[in-house]
Amino acid sequence: MLFNHQHINHTNYQEAFLLYLDGELTAAETEAVEAFAAMHPHLQEELEMLAATKLPAEEVLFNAKESLLSQNIKANFIDDDLLLYIDGELNTQESVEVEKRLAADADYNQQAQLLQQAKLDSTVVEVYPFKNELYRSTEKVVPSIFWLRIAVAVLLVLGVSVFWFT
């Protein structure tokens, strides 16, 4: 019970209404919410509007539960050694082991071919034309002497006028 069903008031009725519509209340709490709504017709309308927004529950079926088993997930997992092999980052011994597996396993070979197709061409150079905008500028803004003189003059005029007219 998230609220005190005996003391539903104008500050906590929204929580009670939501729990009521979700079917999360006991029988006594449900009766308390219904009695509160009956005593306050303007809130009864709010309860009815909230009830109108409730969607019916859908039945969700997942027929491919076998695909969630660990051996299927491992089969769909990209091997780190394969990625390192494609990028040319393995030593000679590790490269030979990956090549043996590529020759023996058709699925592994297919995965390698797909990854080769997704690999970016290192000869293509993308240049961002506004590269200078990416750097933080640390220019210090120095106020103009002209505006500083005007500000001082205004302050002097205000100061003199305050003393003169008081």
Side-chain angles (χ1 to χ4, degrees):
M1 177 171 71
L2 298 175
F3 74 99
N4 186 349
H5 67 278
Q6 294 179 357
H7 294 96
I8 300 174
N9 55 40
H10 289 281
T11 60
N12 67 355
Y13 75 91
Q14 292 171 330
E15 180 182 7
F17 283 2
L18 292 174
L19 292 171
Y20 172 79
L21 292 172
D22 287 341
E24 298 178 17
L25 300 178
T26 63
E29 293 168 340
T30 301
E31 289 175 15
V33 170
E34 290 170 351
F36 179 79
M39 288 190 310
H40 304 284
H42 64 286
L43 295 178
Q44 177 69 36
E45 292 174 13
E46 185 175 339
L47 180 61
E48 290 169 2
M49 285 191 317
L50 282 172
T53 63
K54 188 175 179 179
L55 297 174
E58 292 182 26
E59 184 177 332
V60 178
L61 295 176
F62 186 68
N63 295 327
K65 292 178 185 174
E66 300 81 31
S67 66
L68 298 174
L69 297 174
S70 67
Q71 65 267 18
N72 293 329
I73 293 173
K74 289 177 185 173
N76 294 329
F77 182 71
I78 297 175
D79 192 1
D80 288 338
D81 288 339
L82 184 57
L83 290 173
L84 292 172
Y85 173 76
I86 290 171
D87 289 338
E89 298 178 7
L90 291 179
N91 62 33
T92 309
Q93 180 184 359
E94 292 171 332
S95 294
V96 169
E97 290 176 15
V98 169
E99 289 169 357
K100 286 180 184 176
R101 185 165 174 202
L102 285 169
D105 189 352
D107 289 335
Y108 195 67
N109 194 2
Q110 181 184 9
Q111 189 177 35
Q113 290 174 359
L114 290 172
L115 288 173
Q116 282 286 5
Q117 292 173 0
K119 184 177 178 184
L120 295 176
D121 185 9
S122 62
T123 60
V124 176
V125 177
E126 295 289 333
V127 178
Y128 182 65
F130 307 107
K131 186 175 181 180
N132 289 335
E133 292 177 359
L134 301 175
Y135 296 107
R136 182 184 308 185
S137 67
T138 56
E139 294 178 16
K140 188 174 183 179
V141 178
V142 179
S144 172
I145 298 294
F146 174 73
W147 292 109
L148 186 61
R149 289 179 181 171
I150 290 176
V152 169
V154 168
L155 288 175
L156 283 173
V157 168
L158 286 175
V160 168
S161 63
V162 166
F163 286 115
W164 187 269
F165 293 112
T166 56

